Amino acid sequence: MTPFSWHGRTVLVTGAEGFIGSTLVDLLVEQGARVRALVHYKPYAEKGYLAGYLGGGEVEMIAGDVRDAGRVMDAVDGCDTVFHLAALIGIPYSYDSPGAYVQTNVVGTENVLEACRRHGVRRLVHTSTSEVYGTALTVPISEDHPLQPQSPYSASKIGADMMALSHHNAFELPVSVVRPFNTYGPRQSARAVIPTILAQLHAGVREIKLGSLTPTRDFTYVTDTARGFLAVASCDRALGSVVNLGSGREISIGELARELIGASGSTAEVVVDPSRLRPAASEVERLLSDNSRAREWASWKPEVSLREGLVRTSEWVAANLSLFDATRYQV
């Protein structure tokens, strides 16, 4: 079988200026794709981690919003493959503004689906999240695990996933759903646990204040996740299906904090702060992926160990500490 090649293919990435999106753009450019980046419009023209591509001709920047059906339709025109990553993310804000999550994550996804159907793309890869599984009922979590909307954010992503799969069933849209488990690495914002803790450690904080220490998560380094997107996009068996992208290993938040203290060279202590605890019914206690489909269908497996990934991320946070406010974010 001839290896799949991205060289010369026109590829659209929505949410391209984000953490995973920009890493995926880098990988696509390395492999010779003609990349279009749909980035959220900002009046001050900030392109975030894609700024290095401005004026270089490797990436076509398209400012817009996935809630704008016409703009999405134009962006998809002529594309071989679409990677849909644009979403309103984060659990805490979804408690305050659930409607915004529905508009971006559900309606925005429907706009992408319809554009891909109208323009006849070869493949659409839609991005889900392991949060849709909620607290694990069985472990490791396979793609057949029940979906549990334990937050408005996860509910909006479940809705988006179902819209994507329905378009495969109803319209034969060539769509696959990838479900990353807790991606981390350079460029991640301080809304997430790993950069939040590292920013505090590198700022010299002596106590790391956290909520519950017992929940476990399955962390995957960002370049491994990006490679998973490409692997699924070239895997016909994944059409109309969900594919987990996770390491298959879990670690508690408390143990993770201790690993981060070691990776950063700090001697800080971990302290439980009751004000940071989430509502009991909303806290996802355990996430551990079954990545059998990704391995067997798409020949994908993670390559970066957690320890190596944490060291790399620690070094990046230390070099970019000005991007973080170590006192602003809660975990």
Side-chain angles (χ1 to χ4, degrees):
M1 179 182 295
T2 303
F4 188 88
S5 174
W6 290 99
H7 191 272
R9 294 178 185 269
T10 300
V11 179
L12 174 69
V13 179
T14 73
E17 79 274 39
F19 164 48
I20 300 176
S22 63
T23 304
L24 180 59
V25 168
D26 288 345
L27 187 56
L28 284 163
V29 169
E30 288 174 9
Q31 299 202 17
R34 294 193 296 264
V35 181
R36 292 180 186 171
L38 182 64
V39 299
H40 194 258
Y41 172 75
K42 303 176 186 68
Y44 41 87
E46 172 62 51
K47 295 298 185 294
Y49 295 115
L50 297 182
Y53 291 113
L54 291 175
E58 299 152 298
V59 177
E60 177 186 358
M61 305 285 186
I62 302 174
D65 191 314
V66 292
R67 294 173 295 180
D68 183 341
R71 190 62 166 163
V72 172
M73 191 69 70
D74 290 342
V76 172
D77 189 13
C79 287
D80 170 88
T81 305
V82 174
F83 293 98
H84 176 43
L85 288 82
L88 188 55
I89 59 176
I91 294 172
Y93 182 55
S94 76
Y95 301 141
D96 298 326
S97 188
Y101 284 74
V102 172
Q103 288 301 312
T104 298
N105 297 349
V106 181
V107 176
T109 295
E110 167 57 23
N111 290 337
V112 173
L113 293 165
E114 182 62 15
C116 289
R117 184 164 78 95
R118 293 288 183 90
H119 289 303
V121 301
R122 180 196 62 84
R123 183 67 55 87
L124 165 63
V125 176
H126 164 72
T127 310
S128 180
T129 169
S130 58
E131 287 290 334
V132 302
Y133 293 126
T135 296
L137 303 176
T138 58
V139 290
I141 299 171
S142 75
E143 292 84 354
D144 296 323
H145 187 284
L147 305 181
Q148 302 182 92
Q150 289 182 227
S151 67
Y153 166 64
S154 65
S156 71
K157 294 298 289 183
I158 290 171
D161 294 355
M162 294 304 103
M163 288 302 296
L165 295 174
S166 76
H167 277 61
H168 177 77
N169 295 328
F171 308 117
E172 298 184 345
L173 183 70
V175 59
S176 300
V177 176
V178 293
R179 199 162 275 161
F181 277 67
N182 298 99
T183 301
Y184 74 100
R187 303 181 182 176
Q188 189 171 28
S189 74
R191 64 163 191 85
V193 60
I194 289 175
T196 292
I197 293 173
L198 286 172
Q200 294 177 70
L201 292 171
H202 286 297
V205 172
R206 304 308 305 160
E207 290 186 343
I208 299 298
K209 296 180 180 180
L210 302 174
S212 178
L213 303 182
T214 58
T216 66
R217 295 293 184 265
D218 181 328
F219 290 98
T220 308
Y221 194 68
V222 64
T223 55
D224 283 334
T225 298
R227 287 192 307 100
F229 276 76
L230 298 192
V232 170
S234 61
C235 174
D236 289 341
R237 192 172 179 184
L239 285 169
S241 296
V242 178
V243 179
N244 287 340
L245 296 177
S247 70
R249 303 180 301 270
E250 65 183 326
I251 184 172
S252 72
I253 297 303
E255 181 59 29
L256 174 69
R258 288 184 280 275
E259 288 284 341
L260 290 168
I261 289 170
S264 67
S266 172
T267 57
E269 296 182 352
V270 177
V271 177
V272 174
D273 179 356
S275 70
R276 298 169 189 253
L277 296 173
R278 292 177 179 174
S282 185
E283 179 65 84
V284 174
E285 291 293 340
R286 191 177 184 192
L287 287 175
L288 172 63
S289 73
D290 178 345
N291 59 18
S292 300
R293 282 188 185 178
R295 288 175 177 269
E296 296 170 8
W297 292 7
S299 300
W300 173 88
K301 63 179 181 180
E303 296 179 349
V304 180
S305 70
L306 180 62
R307 180 155 296 180
E308 180 183 356
L310 294 181
V311 169
R312 292 184 190 179
T313 307
S314 177
E315 292 172 349
W316 182 85
V317 170
N320 294 274
L321 199 57
S322 62
L323 299 177
F324 298 91
D325 179 349
T327 64
R328 180 180 177 187
Y329 296 93
Q330 292 191 349
V331 178

